[in-house]
Amino acid sequence: MQVVLGLDSVTLLNPPEEPLPDYDLEILYSCDQSATVQLDCVVCFDTGITSTLLLRQWSCVPGDPKIRILKLNLPDWLVYQADGIVPDSQWVLSCILRASVRYSEFDDTERSSAAQDVATLQPKPPFSRPVKQHQLCFAWSTLMLQLTQQFLKKQCPLEQETVHLLSSVYASTGENFGIIKTLHSYNSEVLEYLRLKSISFPWCMFSIWIFVNRYCQNNMCGVFHHIDTRNNYATPTLFLTNSGQIHVQTSGESEESSAFLSPFKVPLSEWCQISVMLQGRTVTLSMICMDKEQRLVHSIENMIRQTVRLDDTEGYFVIGGGKYIRGVEGYFGPLVYHRNRISPHSTTEVVIPDVIKIVNLTGWLQTCQEFSLQMNLKISGYSLKAKQSTESDSCFDAFHKWMVKDRLPSKSQCEVWEATVPHRRHAAKLAKLLAFKHRGKRVSLPAVGRALYSLSLHKLGRASSTEVISRIFPLLLQAGCLADNRALHMSSVLYSTEMGVRKQPNKAWLLALLAAQKDDRLALLHLGHLHYQGLHGVPADPDVAYAYYANIAKQTISDRVNPSPQQTFVEAVYLNNEEVLNLQTNEDHHIFQWLRLQARSGAAEAEQAIAQMLFWGQQGVSPNIQKAVRHYERGAVQWKDPESMYNYGITLLQGHGVEKDIPKALIFLKKAKDQGFVPAINALAWYYEQFEQDYVQAVQMWEQADLLESSDAALNLGIMYSQGLYPGQAADQYMAYKYYLKSAERGHIRGAILVADIWNTGIPRLVNRRPSDAILWVKWAAEHNGYLGSILRRALDSYLKSDTFSSLLYYMMAAELGYAAAQFNVAYLCEQNTGGFLDPAFASRCMWRYYNLTIQSQHPDTYALIRMGDLWYEGQIDGQKDLFSAAEMYKLAAQRNEPQGWYNLGLLAEEGYRLPLSVLIELGLSELYLADKTVLLSALYKRCRDTEDTDSYLPCSLALFNVYIQSFQKDYSAAIKYSTAIAVIAAPAIFLFILGVLRRRVLSLN
């Protein structure tokens, strides 16, 4: 670009394309009057700052145009790499050379440009620039700077061109649950330019390992698919059909989709790698299956008619099932995505990933298949014998008796199929017992598995030490082989915790995967915890953890709608809380009998409490929905209690424990509403929405209940907005999200799950993705599952019956799921070690591990903080005291207003430990307290004394009094010595005088 005013002109004849060192630049210039020619460099940085650098200046004399050749001396930081002498700079976005003819007007500070010419230089990335060869001797300080680690570690930021979307093994139940992954733009300008350029001409590759247990029950099920911001399937999408073929789908620029079907099928019960290569409009699908030493390879290439479009930063990817499709029943292995290239490895070089070898799923299945065949043979034989025995008790003619007698030997003898190895003897006996019990009818393998699990529990219930577990453990494994998921989960926990068996984390992971794939609630929760924390060698992956947590969380909703005797209300009972323990009861307990008496006397609250206990199985009472409904009915009909009216109306509306009767339900719900019971307002609104389709009336009532802080009302209003049913409003997902969030914050489980789903995927341009927060919501919801409640109830019942071993076992099963209260109770039981039933070394490790896990929860129990501080103080963790860590634990307890925390901090200070300044500041104490030990101790013990705990008042007051005594002794030591001498002389007389006074007081009292 050139601007010429009159005869004034300037032109850059040969500007370089990029900043170069020692470049010969030619400039053509002329001027009408005496002027100045100036060469500047204008640099714009990524921070938004623009800087103008003066490079050269010279005079211009009027006359013919002249050419000046000069060395272009740009700053080193713009031309070279930073090396310790050449300084580092901010990222340069643009660089412009500007030549101009300027005239002085009044002074040197004000100049006007008569003509100018500019040229744009393209700056190189910092690490693409040349290294300057310095022609000078370096100073010693500069040489040292070049050798520093900070300089040596300097490198380009890591960019994931090869993305491992899944690095572990995921158990898929075949439901609408899967792993959600998102990708971000490159930081590198070069890589991001290439990515954007390839959106309409993708050149990439996806490969995923899959193990299919069963083909889809629907037409298709999800393997791996991409959802765009408009909730449409995008490139690439892979489904498995009900015949085992692979459906591959892509989308184009015009939002039209193309698809093709593989001619080959995915085999069952084999690990296979499925790969999709995108090369422009050419899509290549290949499959490699590994069966022992055999390698089976299939491949097909398909040309798409339209342009294939792939923007991998748009929307999200799903492994397995998702919102719109059920997943494959089986397992998913590592998934690798090569973003801008095709993998150089050929099909002959493909090997099974290490994580699949570690889990060894095929090895377990082969062993179980062998065991199942043996058990089937025994079941068939025993069933035949039982049938023959049954027939011998019936009436037959003489010919039939003669045939049987001739066919069978006179003396009983063992058949070949009855031979059993010792460790499978119990399984064979149970198979025989069941066969004769059912009189020859076919006995299923799962029935034998259930019997083995029951036998294992019976033997464990009689155990008094962990040594028994090693003898019972084979029974659990055999029960797991025969499809008992409870046995698989318990075996997984025992392998994880080293309780009675050698610790084997890989086998624990395998057994948890097997149970979770069959939709076992506790195994799903276990795997979610393992991937959330990255425990026992399982890779930490919050997206995988979310998939497991979301599965059990969403099933928790259906489990609560359809309660069963196998479920119990989840109660966080801590074994060090005597007050809560004393409230535990059962139907024969005096507390329950007293409540029943109060209920009969007209106490509506007692009637409601009994009904709640029976309906949900709370406080040790076994669930009995029919009895609960009778108590709800009596509270509603006789005592006119609004809460009982509501609960009775809900049971009538849904048919729980009583025959469904909607008209009768409405009568009681309206009566409860008239008495101002908020949940009844919500229930009536739900009736108008579901049965009458009167959305106006329903929304009005929900708005009323929402103003009264109803979590149900907020949830239902969100659903109305989401489905476009809110009167006069179009579907609005953002408004729905706001109501879901309100519902979740009020404690609604379904609201929490819906918020988590939105935070996991985000709403484009409205709600950002927040996976780390989403996982907290679904974890909280999952921990309300009734099957977890049953394990906790068994543990607590065993503890109340003084069966410490069984209590520890069940609490450990819940603790391995990440439930904080159970983790605390395991540590507490190991600490108590009543009767010495645990090995001291195991008890010590157990106490340390589970107290440590407890304090990592969101709201740890203060007792756990104190005990962890004690363990650090006593040096029981690694053999050495760690007073800093101990002080940190005591500080956290003190911040929760726990008097023991304040007291222990005081003891540390008394022993001469200088409390860290950070601890004092977080406790609201200034650094001035460090200057005077007495003042610090007084402050700590005063806060200990002034807590609301009455039991701590006396010891804290005595500690404070001791501080005052020591301070007094220190300040008045000379006076104390003089007073002591006088006291020794006067003591006998004073003692006789006081004794006489006390005697007179005693006598006067009498």
Side-chain angles (χ1 to χ4, degrees):
M1 181 178 69
Q2 184 175 1
V3 179
V4 180
L5 298 177
L7 297 176
D8 300 314
S9 67
V10 62
T11 304
L12 297 168
L13 296 178
N14 62 336
E17 294 182 357
E18 61 186 36
L20 296 174
D22 300 326
Y23 181 78
D24 292 328
L25 179 65
E26 298 179 2
I27 302 177
L28 175 66
Y29 64 95
S30 64
C31 52
D32 190 34
Q33 302 175 21
S34 296
T36 301
V37 182
Q38 183 170 310
L39 180 64
D40 299 311
C41 179
V42 182
V43 182
C44 182
F45 300 97
D46 62 347
T47 57
I49 299 174
T50 300
S51 178
T52 302
L53 309 173
L54 176 62
L55 300 180
R56 292 291 294 272
Q57 259 185 356
W58 64 90
S59 299
C60 176
V61 179
D64 295 332
K66 303 178 182 62
I67 295 178
R68 187 179 184 96
I69 301 175
L70 52 87
K71 291 286 185 183
L72 183 61
N73 293 320
L74 295 170
D76 285 348
W77 52 261
L78 186 59
V79 179
Y80 299 106
Q81 290 187 31
D83 60 1
I85 299 176
V86 176
D88 201 355
S89 72
Q90 299 169 347
W91 189 273
V92 178
L93 294 180
S94 64
C95 175
I96 299 174
L97 277 182
R98 182 178 65 192
S100 58
V101 177
R102 296 174 177 268
Y103 290 96
S104 300
E105 292 185 353
F106 300 101
D107 53 46
D108 291 338
T109 61
E110 295 185 8
R111 295 178 179 272
S112 61
S113 177
Q116 71 175 18
D117 188 20
V118 297
T120 301
L121 310 185
Q122 184 62 43
K124 283 187 174 182
F127 294 100
S128 299
R129 300 172 186 171
V131 177
K132 185 172 184 179
Q133 302 299 319
H134 298 279
Q135 303 297 322
L136 53 93
C137 295
F138 295 149
W140 178 85
S141 59
T142 303
L143 289 173
M144 292 301 101
L145 179 64
Q146 289 182 327
L147 294 176
T148 58
Q149 290 298 315
Q150 182 178 0
F151 176 78
L152 295 176
K153 286 183 178 179
K154 199 162 187 177
Q155 59 183 2
C156 294
L158 179 65
E159 296 281 6
Q160 287 190 328
E161 275 193 279
T162 301
V163 184
H164 295 269
L165 294 176
L166 179 61
S167 302
S168 60
V169 177
Y170 170 67
S172 174
T173 60
E175 300 169 291
N176 293 85
F177 306 107
I179 304 167
I180 293 176
K181 293 286 186 177
T182 55
L183 296 176
H184 302 287
S185 303
Y186 287 114
N187 293 319
S188 166
E189 292 183 358
V190 175
L191 292 177
E192 181 61 13
Y193 170 77
L194 293 174
R195 189 192 71 82
L196 293 174
K197 188 177 179 181
S198 65
I199 286 178
S200 57
F201 194 86
W203 195 272
C204 60
M205 178 177 175
F206 296 83
S207 66
I208 182 171
W209 286 87
I210 188 171
F211 187 100
V212 181
N213 279 350
R214 185 170 70 160
Y215 292 136
C216 310
Q217 300 305 295
N218 299 328
N219 290 333
M220 287 189 288
C221 49
V223 175
F224 176 71
H225 57 278
H226 183 193
I227 302 294
D228 64 17
T229 54
R230 295 172 297 280
N231 291 327
N232 295 324
Y233 289 117
T235 305
T237 293
L238 271 71
F239 295 145
L240 190 69
T241 67
N242 52 13
S243 61
Q245 294 172 284
I246 303 171
H247 169 97
V248 182
Q249 184 171 314
T250 61
S251 61
E253 294 288 352
S254 59
E255 298 187 6
E256 294 182 2
S257 296
S258 300
F260 65 92
L261 205 61
S262 69
F264 48 84
K265 296 182 179 181
V266 179
L268 295 177
S269 304
E270 287 184 30
W271 278 111
C272 296
Q273 185 195 55
I274 300 174
S275 301
V276 177
M277 282 192 300
L278 301 174
Q279 296 169 295
R281 292 192 295 124
T282 303
V283 180
T284 304
L285 174 69
S286 61
M287 182 180 73
I288 306 171
C289 296
M290 306 288 191
D291 183 16
K292 296 180 181 179
E293 299 300 325
Q294 296 181 351
R295 180 190 298 267
L296 185 64
V297 181
H298 293 284
S299 183
I300 181 176
E301 185 176 290
N302 192 74
M303 178 67 72
I304 306 298
R305 293 181 181 179
Q306 59 187 16
T307 302
V308 176
R309 187 180 187 277
L310 169 58
D311 185 352
D312 57 14
T313 63
E314 181 186 18
Y316 54 90
F317 295 97
V318 182
I319 305 169
K323 191 182 299 183
Y324 310 107
I325 193 168
R326 298 170 70 92
V328 170
E329 290 188 46
Y331 305 87
F332 291 97
L335 193 162
V336 180
Y337 169 35
H338 302 276
R339 295 183 77 175
N340 289 341
R341 63 189 182 91
I342 304 297
S343 173
H345 301 295
S346 65
T347 55
T348 57
E349 297 175 332
V350 173
V351 295
I352 297 178
D354 290 339
V355 67
I356 293 179
K357 293 178 182 178
I358 289 171
V359 171
N360 194 18
L361 176 64
T362 52
W364 166 272
L365 293 177
Q366 288 169 4
T367 303
C368 281
Q369 186 179 18
E370 175 197 346
F371 176 59
S372 298
L373 288 173
Q374 291 182 5
M375 292 307 301
N376 267 324
L377 182 63
K378 295 183 187 303
I379 289 172
S380 299
Y382 287 130
S383 296
L384 180 60
K385 278 192 170 185
K387 189 175 182 180
Q388 292 170 350
S389 175
T390 304
E391 290 175 352
S392 66
D393 297 334
S394 306
C395 294
F396 292 101
D397 55 26
F399 177 75
H400 182 273
K401 291 181 179 180
W402 176 80
M403 288 292 292
V404 171
K405 183 179 179 181
D406 184 65
R407 185 170 65 240
L408 295 176
S410 58
K411 293 183 180 180
S412 62
Q413 62 182 19
C414 289
E415 302 285 351
V416 176
W417 53 265
E418 292 185 82
T420 305
V421 292
H423 65 276
R424 294 178 179 176
R425 186 177 64 254
H426 287 292
K429 284 184 177 180
L430 286 173
K432 182 177 181 180
L433 178 65
L434 290 173
F436 278 89
K437 180 181 178 181
H438 292 88
R439 297 181 176 273
K441 293 181 180 178
R442 181 66 180 174
V443 177
S444 66
L445 288 176
V448 180
R450 290 192 295 271
L452 277 169
Y453 180 68
S454 299
L455 178 63
S456 304
L457 292 185
H458 177 70
K459 289 179 174 291
L460 286 171
R462 294 161 52 191
S464 57
S465 69
T466 57
E467 296 175 358
V468 181
I469 295 178
S470 60
R471 298 195 296 271
I472 300 173
F473 194 64
L475 301 182
L476 287 172
L477 293 178
Q478 290 166 20
C481 251
L482 301 180
D484 193 288
N485 298 324
R486 299 166 300 172
L488 288 171
H489 173 63
M490 182 178 282
S491 303
S492 174
V493 169
L494 293 175
Y495 268 138
S496 299
T497 58
E498 202 176 1
M499 187 175 177
V501 296
R502 185 167 61 90
K503 187 173 183 177
Q504 298 190 57
N506 294 334
K507 286 190 176 180
W509 187 14
L510 165 66
L511 296 174
L513 286 168
L514 290 164
Q517 199 281 318
K518 298 301 182 184
D519 210 19
D520 182 78
R521 308 291 198 275
L522 300 182
L524 290 168
L525 199 54
H526 186 195
L527 286 172
H529 177 61
L530 291 180
H531 282 284
Y532 182 49
Q533 298 287 348
L535 301 174
H536 306 312
V538 176
D541 190 331
D543 294 320
V544 177
Y546 182 90
Y548 286 124
Y549 279 137
N551 189 327
I552 185 174
K554 291 177 183 178
Q555 293 189 83
T556 298
I557 298 174
S558 59
D559 289 342
R560 289 168 72 92
V561 172
N562 302 295
S564 66
Q566 290 75 35
Q567 300 180 60
T568 304
F569 188 81
V570 177
E571 297 175 282
V573 178
Y574 289 81
L575 296 183
N576 67 330
N577 192 330
E578 291 293 336
E579 183 179 350
V580 176
L581 290 177
N582 291 332
L583 293 177
Q584 301 306 306
T585 181
N586 56 57
E587 292 190 58
D588 298 324
H589 196 271
H590 65 88
I591 294 179
F592 191 85
Q593 296 299 328
W594 180 81
L595 285 172
R596 179 175 288 176
L597 179 63
Q598 292 294 309
R600 288 174 180 171
S601 302
E605 291 182 357
E607 194 81 74
Q608 179 66 25
I610 291 176
Q612 289 285 94
M613 290 180 188
L614 289 168
F615 193 91
W616 295 107
Q618 294 177 343
Q619 291 182 233
V621 178
S622 300
N624 190 322
I625 297 175
Q626 286 76 20
K627 281 187 178 181
V629 172
R630 288 199 292 270
H631 284 282
Y632 283 142
E633 182 181 13
R634 186 163 66 180
V637 176
Q638 293 187 22
W639 317 129
K640 311 298 182 185
D641 175 48
E643 187 172 356
S644 295
M645 290 179 181
Y646 165 75
N647 285 320
Y648 184 50
I650 291 296
T651 57
L652 288 169
L653 198 63
Q654 297 182 341
H656 285 162
V658 67
E659 188 176 348
K660 185 180 291 188
D661 190 336
I662 295 177
K664 190 176 180 180
L666 291 177
I667 293 173
F668 284 100
L669 290 174
K670 287 178 180 178
K671 288 182 178 180
K673 172 183 174 294
D674 292 339
Q675 294 191 41
F677 193 66
V678 177
I681 302 174
N682 179 77
L684 285 171
W686 181 81
Y687 166 78
Y688 283 118
E689 186 258 335
Q690 288 288 322
F691 293 91
E692 302 290 342
Q693 279 77 49
D694 188 347
Y695 301 136
V696 175
Q697 179 73 8
V699 165
Q700 287 178 352
M701 299 184 76
W702 275 326
E703 294 282 8
Q704 178 188 353
D706 179 50
L707 294 175
L708 297 172
E709 301 292 318
S710 168
S711 61
D712 285 315
L715 173 72
N716 288 317
L717 287 171
I719 293 173
M720 297 295 280
Y721 271 109
S722 176
Q723 297 180 356
L725 299 177
Y726 196 99
Q729 300 287 337
D732 189 334
Q733 300 305 321
Y734 182 68
M735 282 297 296
Y737 158 71
K738 292 171 69 175
Y739 277 105
Y740 293 156
L741 183 59
K742 191 189 297 186
S743 173
E745 290 171 344
R746 292 173 183 172
H748 201 290
I749 293 177
R750 190 179 176 193
I753 295 170
L754 291 170
V755 168
D757 278 345
I758 292 174
W759 280 357
N760 196 38
T761 58
I763 300 178
R765 297 177 297 277
L766 295 173
V767 180
N768 293 327
R769 189 169 185 254
R770 298 168 58 179
S772 58
D773 293 326
I775 200 171
L776 296 177
W777 278 121
V778 288
K779 182 178 185 293
W780 172 81
E783 289 178 349
H784 283 77
N785 191 271
Y787 291 91
L788 170 61
S790 295
I791 293 292
L792 294 171
R793 173 48 54 187
R794 289 183 189 178
L796 184 58
D797 287 345
S798 298
Y799 179 79
L800 295 175
K801 294 174 183 176
S802 300
D803 185 358
T804 313
F805 177 80
S806 296
S807 180
L808 177 63
L809 177 62
Y810 286 120
Y811 271 130
M812 198 165 274
M813 289 177 67
E816 287 300 302
L817 310 181
Y819 192 67
Q823 291 172 339
F824 174 88
N825 290 340
V826 169
Y828 185 80
L829 289 171
C830 290
E831 179 187 2
Q832 302 297 315
N833 197 13
T834 307
F837 72 101
L838 294 175
D839 175 71
F842 175 84
S844 179
R845 292 195 304 272
C846 164
M847 177 176 60
W848 147 246
R849 178 172 184 261
Y850 286 100
Y851 274 141
N852 188 38
L853 288 172
T854 303
I855 64 173
Q856 296 175 37
S857 60
Q858 283 186 290
H859 304 288
D861 189 273
T862 54
Y863 182 88
L865 295 169
I866 296 297
R867 289 301 294 126
M868 277 301 297
D870 294 344
L871 292 174
W872 285 114
Y873 173 79
E874 296 164 3
Q876 292 190 23
I877 295 171
D878 54 5
Q880 294 183 347
K881 287 189 174 184
D882 188 341
L883 299 184
F884 177 80
S885 297
E888 282 292 319
M889 293 295 104
Y890 298 147
K891 175 205 72 178
L892 293 173
Q895 287 178 321
R896 302 267 296 276
N897 210 27
E898 168 61 43
Q900 190 72 51
W902 294 108
Y903 190 86
N904 288 5
L905 286 171
L907 291 179
L908 284 178
E910 279 197 76
E911 292 178 4
Y913 176 68
R914 184 181 175 86
L915 294 177
L917 179 59
S918 60
V919 170
L920 295 182
I921 292 175
E922 291 184 54
L923 292 174
L925 302 172
S926 70
E927 59 184 357
L928 299 177
Y929 283 91
L930 291 174
D932 191 328
K933 180 179 177 180
T934 301
V935 175
L936 174 60
L937 290 172
S938 299
L940 294 173
Y941 288 136
K942 278 182 182 178
R943 296 198 180 189
C944 173
R945 179 198 64 188
D946 296 340
T947 58
E948 297 178 357
D949 188 354
T950 55
D951 293 337
S952 64
Y953 184 84
L954 181 60
C956 295
S957 298
L958 290 175
L960 183 61
F961 180 70
N962 183 52
V963 172
Y964 290 152
I965 291 294
Q966 291 181 0
S967 176
F968 181 81
Q969 184 179 7
K970 178 181 177 181
D971 295 339
Y972 301 99
S973 58
I976 290 174
K977 289 179 182 178
Y978 178 73
S979 302
T980 302
I982 297 175
V984 169
I985 298 171
I990 295 172
F991 175 76
L992 292 173
F993 174 74
I994 293 174
L995 185 62
V997 171
L998 290 175
R999 281 178 176 174
R1000 284 196 297 273
R1001 285 182 178 173
V1002 171
L1003 289 172
S1004 63
L1005 286 173
N1006 288 336

